[in-house]
Amino acid sequence: MGSFLQDKCARYGRVFKSHLFGCPTIVSCDHELNMFVLQNEEKLFQSSYPKPVHDVLGKLSMMLVSGEFHKKIRSVAVGFINSSCKSRSGNNFLGYLEKLSLSFIDSWKSKKEVLFFKEAKELTFHLMLKSLMNIEPEDPLAAIVLGDFLTFMKGFVSLPLYIPGTAYAKAVKARTRISSTLQEMIMKRRENNIVNEEGDFLDELLLGKVWLSDEERVSILLDLLLAGYETTSGLMALVVYFLSQAPQALQTLQEEHRVLRGRKKEGEFLNWEDYKQMEFTSYVICEALRCGNLVKFLHRKALRDVKFKEYVIPRGWQVLPIFSGAHLDPSLHENPFQYNPWRWDDPATSRKASPFGGGLRICPGAELGKLETAFFLHHFVLNIRWELKEEDCPVSCPYMDFKRGLPMKIESI
């Protein structure tokens, strides 16, 4: 996608007009304009995704709603994320994250190769199922929900043809089945009176600090499952992919984690304070996000005629802020296609990148996704030596994917 964007920018400039998704469109690869659009959410611009996305995600999805309702459901999601990030060491979310990561890594030690992206998806999916609804990986329900979720993801951005057998039709039906499964869980907990204050996130939703309908509860659970599954697994895969081609960065990362592990007692869990000390790990993750671009672009619509510098965006026009265009812009980043975690040692770099968006809709799970990846990397780089088994690279279709599943040869250290 990088060379494609470079060609377009060279021909039309960083900002140009087009006609996409059935709408007159402003395409922006300009970081300043992108930030202007995101910082003026609900004032000058509004989230505006194509109808097929609404059909698959559902009308109450956090990605699609606006105004006070968006604030309400976002606050509920942020509450779960904040409590997960800072849960007590060895217990709740952080403890389970570490145990599950170790379980997956231990299972790989008897293998010579793994499809890393597939494994990362299973890891993050089971982590979210356990944290949100207390469903264990061995529970038959986990396999059912995962199967429906994979079908859901395949049709998420497919051609909107509601014909039996198409990816789109299957995705809409899969979402209905997932919603029914979640609704049944809500009803069962109510009927059996098994909601408790120290339980999972579903218990918190049912106890109701914020009043929600069951339809809203189901939508929030789906949003968190989607974000925790797709985004975090993609981030883990990107980091491992880029590190396999950057031996000096890997060596520096391993040293940081050896020092950290040396300060811990045998078997002692990591905690929030440990995460905040993982400085180079943070650079590694941020650089993978800049180079890999998990989210390539967003959909916005101008609420009125908007003037920005020499540009005028007409009311009602679609605006696509292209993050990858800015992240790979040589005027902003020296050698932009080179994976170089040390560039993040300069605080200015963070002002020239926006991997999680910005403004009112900045990804609420950004810190949680980085934390999950950092905890996983801690054990992965200290226990596993790996190399890519065959040529594979991140592609956009349009969400990030590895066509071969990122096959790797592995051995224990």
Side-chain angles (χ1 to χ4, degrees):
M1 186 163 182
S3 58
F4 172 79
L5 283 172
Q6 279 189 317
D7 292 343
K8 290 292 183 185
C9 288
R11 185 174 180 183
Y12 302 115
R14 288 196 181 93
V15 181
F16 55 90
K17 293 187 292 185
S18 188
H19 198 279
L20 302 168
F21 304 99
C23 303
T25 303
I26 300 295
V27 179
S28 170
C29 298
D30 181 86
H31 183 63
E32 259 192 281
L33 177 53
N34 291 352
M35 289 300 97
F36 176 78
V37 171
L38 298 179
Q39 295 297 338
N40 283 282
E41 181 80 29
E42 303 287 355
K43 299 173 187 173
L44 304 177
F45 302 93
Q46 190 174 65
S47 173
S48 180
Y49 284 84
K51 184 180 179 297
V53 176
H54 288 248
D55 294 340
V56 176
L57 287 183
K59 63 182 180 181
L60 300 180
S61 172
M62 197 187 317
M63 196 169 93
L64 306 176
V65 297
S66 300
E68 290 302 314
F69 184 66
H70 175 260
K71 289 180 185 176
K72 182 176 85 165
I73 60 174
R74 180 186 170 87
S75 71
V76 175
V78 168
F80 163 74
I81 290 160
N82 288 344
S83 64
S84 298
C85 282
K86 299 182 182 180
S87 62
R88 185 159 49 87
S89 178
N91 201 8
N92 298 327
F93 185 88
L94 295 188
Y96 189 72
L97 162 61
E98 208 164 348
K99 290 171 188 173
L100 193 63
S101 296
L102 282 166
S103 172
F104 269 73
I105 290 168
D106 285 343
S107 74
W108 299 340
K109 290 180 178 178
S110 60
K111 302 175 182 177
K112 292 183 178 179
E113 60 184 65
V114 296
L115 291 175
F116 184 83
F117 195 28
K118 176 178 178 292
E119 295 282 331
K121 284 186 173 185
E122 287 190 22
L123 190 160
T124 55
F125 190 76
H126 288 310
L127 174 65
M128 295 307 292
L129 275 185
K130 171 67 176 176
S131 303
L132 294 172
M133 294 166 284
N134 199 28
I135 299 176
E136 300 283 356
E138 59 273 13
D139 189 323
L141 186 58
I144 294 171
V145 177
L146 178 59
D148 281 336
F149 217 81
L150 291 172
T151 302
F152 170 79
M153 285 306 305
K154 284 178 183 176
F156 179 49
V157 286
S158 58
L159 285 173
L161 299 174
Y162 198 82
I163 300 171
T166 62
Y168 175 72
K170 288 179 180 178
V172 173
K173 289 180 180 178
R175 188 199 183 279
T176 301
R177 288 195 299 271
I178 297 169
S179 297
S180 297
T181 300
L182 299 180
Q183 185 67 52
E184 286 174 19
M185 291 186 68
I186 290 172
M187 296 297 293
K188 195 172 291 184
R189 291 199 187 189
R190 274 210 198 94
E191 290 170 3
N192 297 330
N193 197 27
I194 54 174
V195 180
N196 68 82
E197 293 184 10
E198 299 299 321
D200 53 32
F201 180 62
L202 179 52
D203 283 338
E204 290 181 30
L205 289 179
L206 291 171
L207 287 168
K209 290 181 181 177
V210 177
W211 188 89
L212 297 163
S213 68
D214 283 352
E215 188 180 9
E216 290 166 353
R217 292 184 178 105
V218 166
S219 186
I220 291 171
L221 288 169
L222 264 172
D223 280 344
L224 289 171
L225 265 177
L226 173 61
Y229 162 78
E230 186 66 27
T231 307
T232 308
S233 61
L235 177 53
M236 289 179 177
L238 284 173
V239 170
V240 168
Y241 168 78
F242 286 117
L243 284 175
S244 67
Q245 303 165 63
Q248 190 176 352
L250 175 57
Q251 186 177 349
T252 305
L253 181 68
Q254 287 173 320
E255 184 55 32
E256 178 172 83
H257 285 280
R258 286 192 194 102
V259 171
L260 175 57
R261 181 44 52 188
R263 293 199 297 263
K264 309 290 285 186
K265 295 176 183 175
E266 182 70 29
E268 185 181 356
F269 285 99
L270 297 171
N271 55 42
W272 175 257
E273 288 70 31
D274 294 324
Y275 168 66
K276 300 308 288 184
Q277 292 175 36
M278 297 179 187
E279 183 178 46
F280 190 72
T281 305
S282 173
Y283 296 169
V284 162
I285 291 171
C286 288
E287 182 68 351
L289 286 166
R290 186 194 67 81
C291 291
N293 292 290
L294 271 176
V295 178
K296 303 292 189 293
F297 61 90
L298 299 175
H299 291 258
R300 294 293 183 265
K301 180 177 70 175
L303 296 174
R304 59 183 175 86
D305 289 351
V306 178
K307 186 169 181 13
F308 178 80
K309 295 185 176 181
E310 69 269 32
Y311 307 113
V312 175
I313 302 172
R315 179 179 181 271
W317 277 43
Q318 179 176 235
V319 183
L320 299 184
I322 310 290
F323 298 139
S324 48
H327 292 165
L328 302 174
D329 184 344
S331 71
L332 294 176
H333 307 281
E334 186 179 353
N335 298 321
F337 293 96
Q338 179 186 358
Y339 179 76
N340 175 17
W342 288 273
R343 76 172 79 234
W344 292 85
D345 202 28
D346 179 358
T349 302
S350 61
R351 296 193 292 271
K352 296 183 286 188
S354 51
F356 291 104
L360 294 175
R361 290 180 177 272
I362 190 169
C363 176
E367 200 63 49
L368 184 60
K370 290 192 286 186
L371 182 147
E372 289 177 37
T373 303
F375 273 38
F376 169 79
L377 283 174
H378 175 76
H379 296 288
F380 185 69
V381 301
L382 294 180
N383 288 280
I384 298 292
R385 185 180 294 112
W386 79 95
E387 63 177 286
L388 299 186
K389 184 173 180 288
E390 55 187 271
E391 189 174 330
D392 201 1
C393 63
V395 295
S396 178
C397 59
Y399 55 83
M400 199 280 295
D401 196 9
F402 287 88
K403 286 299 183 184
R404 295 180 177 85
L406 197 57
M408 299 188 326
K409 295 179 182 177
I410 59 171
E411 61 177 305
S412 299
I413 295 178

